[in-house]
Amino acid sequence: MVYKSYEYDSFRIFTIQTDQFKNAHIEVVFQGDASTSKLTEKSFLSEIMCFSSKKYPTRKDFVIRMEELYNAYLYGVTSKVGNSLLTNFVFDFLDPYYVDEASYLEDCLTFLFDTIMHPNMEQNGFDYKSFQIIKSRFRSDIESLKENPVNYSLRQSLKEMYPDSISSKSVLGTIEELESITLESLVASYQNLLETSYCDIYIIGNLDMDQMAKLVLKHFKNHVIKTHEQNTFVRNKRVKDVKKKVEDGKFVQSNLVMGYQMQGFTEKEYHSVLAVFGEIFCGTSLNSKLYQYLRNDNSLCYRVQTIYQKFDEALLISVGLESKNKNLAVKLIQKAMKEMAIGKFSDEELEMAKEQLCFALTMSLDNQNSIINNYLFHNLVGTPLLEERKEDLLAVTKEDIMKLAKKMKHALIYELKEVSHEGN
């Protein structure tokens, strides 16, 4: 793979040239400030912009054009990464090598950037029919949130840990936030996206990247220069005491979430030590501490997983269990964390964790999205590139992990309680 970058006044282009794939992949990434953005509206915006366009004003027209481009596909993704709001326009198309039409590559770039620069709207608002379809989708997604106890519990846990922080906010939002979106407000949100968000463009494929950069410059007419600072990491207030919350659910099983605040991590700890810690503590191996204590030794659950919200200084441990086993599970999780802090794990476990992580990194090289994500987070927060990251993982010591574990502050015990049954 050959990596190159191109710097322009209002955006940057990062390219990875490789013949590994038979298609090409482009991501146009707008990075804004999550704390000053209407998250639900920005998420709505990326969806409606990839539903139709000024040139292809109906969904049918839009889809037919993608089919004419040999089943190219464009979609939008909005995600909150700490204090950054990322709006990605993701475009996949066939490697032009396999297409006879000489204009195919430029046709693809024209379609992509015409969609971004000329959405299906008039001066006073977006297309009404498209708006109603996207709104219906969002309403269904929001209303179905409680149908997934794991996702709902994780979302509620962040609200309990950091109630006044951007860390507790979601791009999906609430019904009230959805109802506040109008055809006119989406126009303002679109203008805000172009005028205040930094923009990076990532391209991967077997392409002449100098030519690609020229084509992007030709078709992408976003000339707004941004100079304000961007800070992805959220520095949340220290949680002094463990917060406890029980919420009644409607499921046959309870969902327990243990929350830990990550306090004062270094770059090295964020980029490499945390991954090794996580693999030993509750990783992919059936021999991880939490799997052993909660599943093998005590048969408390079928599922245990850890979610690292490292840009929000939060580690969340999610366990599906019977409510009667909650207190024992809490004690066992606390025991496992204490053991990590005092180094009660073997050198063999440490080396196995490193091997598994390095293998996962090697496997990620077979996926375009993973490669792009690595470069994106390298530019966003300095995450090492894949080969360098392998070296960093292999260099992690037991002392590094012990030091990191001691910075984990227990902050939350949340339970979405199972529905009660007669006879219990």
Side-chain angles (χ1 to χ4, degrees), residues 16-79:
I16 304 101
Q17 197 281 329
T18 174
D19 61 1
Q20 187 175 353
F21 309 101
K22 288 184 169 58
N23 71 309
H25 180 93
I26 299 178
E27 294 195 25
V28 182
V29 183
F30 291 92
Q31 180 195 357
D33 187 339
S35 63
T36 61
S37 299
K38 296 180 179 179
L39 304 185
T40 306
E41 188 161 275
K42 281 288 176 64
S43 187
F44 194 112
L45 177 67
S46 68
E47 289 280 338
I48 199 170
M49 286 176 64
C50 293
F51 187 79
S52 61
S53 67
K54 177 71 75 175
K55 189 172 183 179
Y56 304 101
T58 70
R59 183 59 183 170
K60 181 179 180 181
D61 294 335
F62 199 78
V63 170
I64 288 174
R65 183 54 182 157
M66 289 192 289
E67 290 175 349
E68 291 171 346
L69 295 172
Y70 294 87
N71 288 323
Y73 191 65
L74 172 64
Y75 61 96
V77 179
T78 301
S79 54

Side-chain angles (χ1 to χ4, degrees), residues 154-418:
L154 293 171
R155 183 174 177 180
Q156 293 301 105
S157 295
L158 282 171
K159 288 182 179 179
E160 292 294 328
M161 280 181 68
Y162 303 130
D164 302 318
S165 167
I166 187 61
S167 298
S168 68
K169 306 299 181 184
S170 163
V171 295
L172 185 57
T174 64
I175 293 294
E176 291 73 23
E177 289 168 330
L178 177 63
E179 289 298 335
S180 71
I181 300 172
T182 66
L183 299 173
E184 295 78 15
S185 69
L186 277 175
V187 174
S189 186
Y190 171 70
Q191 292 169 343
N192 176 268
L193 179 76
L194 295 184
E195 293 171 3
T196 67
S197 300
Y198 281 84
C199 183
D200 289 332
I201 300 170
Y202 296 86
I203 306 172
I204 183 170
N206 191 22
L207 304 165
D208 180 335
M209 293 306 179
D210 290 337
Q211 179 193 14
M212 289 297 294
K214 291 176 182 178
L215 287 173
V216 171
L217 196 60
K218 175 182 176 181
H219 292 284
F220 188 38
K221 303 300 182 182
N222 179 21
H223 299 309
V224 181
I225 299 173
K226 295 88 177 177
T227 58
H228 57 281
E229 292 186 4
Q230 295 275 72
N231 187 10
T232 299
F233 287 92
V234 181
R235 302 306 178 189
N236 282 301
K237 294 179 181 178
R238 295 295 184 226
V239 179
K240 295 180 180 179
D241 301 310
V242 178
K243 299 180 180 181
K244 298 180 181 180
K245 174 75 173 181
V246 177
E247 187 174 348
D248 290 331
K250 59 179 182 179
F251 306 96
V252 296
Q253 190 179 61
S254 290
N255 199 74
L256 168 69
V257 178
M258 291 272 281
Y260 284 83
Q261 185 173 37
M262 302 177 184
Q263 299 185 333
F265 281 19
T266 64
E267 280 194 10
K268 175 184 176 181
E269 287 171 332
Y270 272 123
H271 296 328
S272 56
V273 182
L274 182 60
V276 183
F277 162 89
E279 190 64 27
I280 299 171
F281 184 64
C282 184
T284 56
S285 170
L286 299 183
N287 296 317
S288 70
K289 280 190 176 293
L290 291 191
Y291 193 92
Q292 284 288 334
Y293 292 162
L294 297 177
R295 177 80 188 274
N296 289 356
D297 296 347
N298 293 281
S299 302
L300 297 184
C301 64
Y302 288 103
R303 178 190 57 78
V304 55
Q305 64 184 121
T306 49
I307 297 88
Y308 297 93
Q309 298 281 133
K310 64 182 184 180
F311 303 108
D312 298 292
E313 300 184 320
L315 161 63
L316 302 176
I317 303 160
S318 176
V319 186
L321 41 58
E322 293 184 50
S323 187
K324 66 181 182 180
N325 295 324
K326 167 187 165 183
N327 291 335
L328 177 57
V330 169
K331 290 179 181 178
L332 292 172
I333 292 170
Q334 291 172 328
K335 174 188 175 182
M337 185 64 76
K338 183 178 179 180
E339 289 181 355
M340 297 299 293
I342 63 175
K344 192 174 179 180
F345 53 90
S346 67
D347 291 339
E348 182 181 359
E349 288 175 291
L350 176 61
E351 294 308 312
M352 184 178 297
K354 294 179 184 180
E355 289 177 11
Q356 288 171 331
L357 290 166
C358 288
F359 177 74
L361 286 177
T362 300
M363 293 297 291
S364 71
L365 290 171
D366 291 331
N367 184 283
Q368 289 173 313
N369 293 76
S370 296
I371 296 170
I372 290 291
N373 281 338
N374 182 227
Y375 280 98
L376 190 157
F377 281 94
H378 175 72
N379 294 321
L380 189 65
V381 293
T383 300
L385 296 177
L386 290 174
E387 289 304 320
E388 181 185 347
R389 195 172 181 204
K390 283 185 182 180
E391 294 176 6
D392 291 345
L393 289 171
L394 293 172
V396 172
T397 65
K398 176 176 282 193
E399 290 70 25
D400 290 332
I401 295 172
M402 292 165 59
K403 185 177 179 181
L404 177 141
K406 291 172 184 175
K407 295 181 180 181
M408 294 284 192
K409 170 71 168 62
H410 190 194
L412 175 73
I413 302 174
Y414 171 90
E415 180 187 10
L416 182 63
K417 195 169 184 179
E418 65 199 32

